[in-house]
Amino acid sequence: MVRPADRSEICGGQSATVAAALNKIPVYVRAGSILPTGPAITYTAEKLDGPLTLVVYTGANGAFSFYEDEGKDYGYERGEFSNIPMTWDDARGVLSIGARTGSYPGMPMSRTINVRFVSGPGADVGDFDAAPARTVQYAGQAVEIRR
C-alpha cells in the first residue's frame, strides 16, 4: 500500500490510502493528460457556446480529441458532430489545438478556450477554479499555445 502523503508521484497499478478533507477530493492524473472542463450545466444541450477550459497536466506528451454534438437527438448517427484534436508536446511546452472537423446544427462557430498548465510533484491538480495561463478565441482553425 502506498501512502501519497509520503510520495508526491505514484506509479500506476497501485492502491493508495489517502486522507481526504470533506471539501477537497484527492485527484490523481496521468502526466500528459488534457482535461476539458466547462461551465456547470443541467442538460446536454445547454451552453454549447460556453467557455472551455483545458487543464494540461505536464510531464509527458499527450493527446485528446474533443467531441461535440447538438446534445438533443440522434444527429450524431447522421454524422452531425465535430472533433477538435489536441496535443501537448512536453519538450517544446506547446499545446496544439487542431483544426475542427465536422459540424452539427447550432454549433458555435467560435468559443473562448482558457488553458491552465499543472506541473510538478505536489501541484494542486484539482483546483479547477484557478486562473488560466492563456486564453484564446478559437474559431475552428489550428492554433498553438506556448506555456
Side-chain angles (χ1 to χ4, degrees):
M1 186 72 61
V2 174
R3 297 196 180 280
D6 302 328
R7 294 179 58 193
S8 54
E9 292 183 9
I10 298 175
C11 294
Q14 299 182 49
S15 296
T17 300
V18 297
L22 291 176
N23 63 343
K24 193 163 188 169
I25 298 172
V27 177
Y28 295 91
V29 182
R30 180 185 306 262
S33 295
I34 302 169
L35 177 68
T37 64
I41 61 172
T42 55
Y43 56 94
T44 58
E46 183 181 13
K47 300 181 186 176
L48 291 176
D49 61 348
L52 180 66
T53 298
L54 302 175
V55 183
V56 179
Y57 296 91
T58 66
N61 292 338
F64 180 76
S65 181
F66 184 72
Y67 169 92
E68 286 186 296
D69 64 31
E70 187 180 32
K72 294 181 183 175
D73 58 28
Y74 294 96
Y76 65 91
E77 292 179 344
R78 298 184 300 275
E80 296 173 356
F81 60 87
S82 73
N83 274 302
I84 302 171
M86 302 174 187
T87 58
W88 167 247
D89 183 325
D90 200 63
R92 292 178 49 222
V94 173
L95 173 67
S96 298
I97 302 174
R100 178 176 44 221
T101 58
S103 65
Y104 57 92
M107 181 180 81
M109 299 316 315
S110 66
R111 72 180 330 147
T112 299
I113 297 181
N114 299 305
V115 182
R116 288 189 46 239
F117 299 99
V118 177
S119 62
D124 191 350
V125 299
D127 184 2
F128 296 111
D129 294 324
R134 305 279 184 273
T135 298
V136 298
Q137 292 301 315
Y138 179 79
Q141 292 80 34
V143 63
E144 284 191 345
I145 301 166
R146 293 201 170 274
R147 181 166 184 207

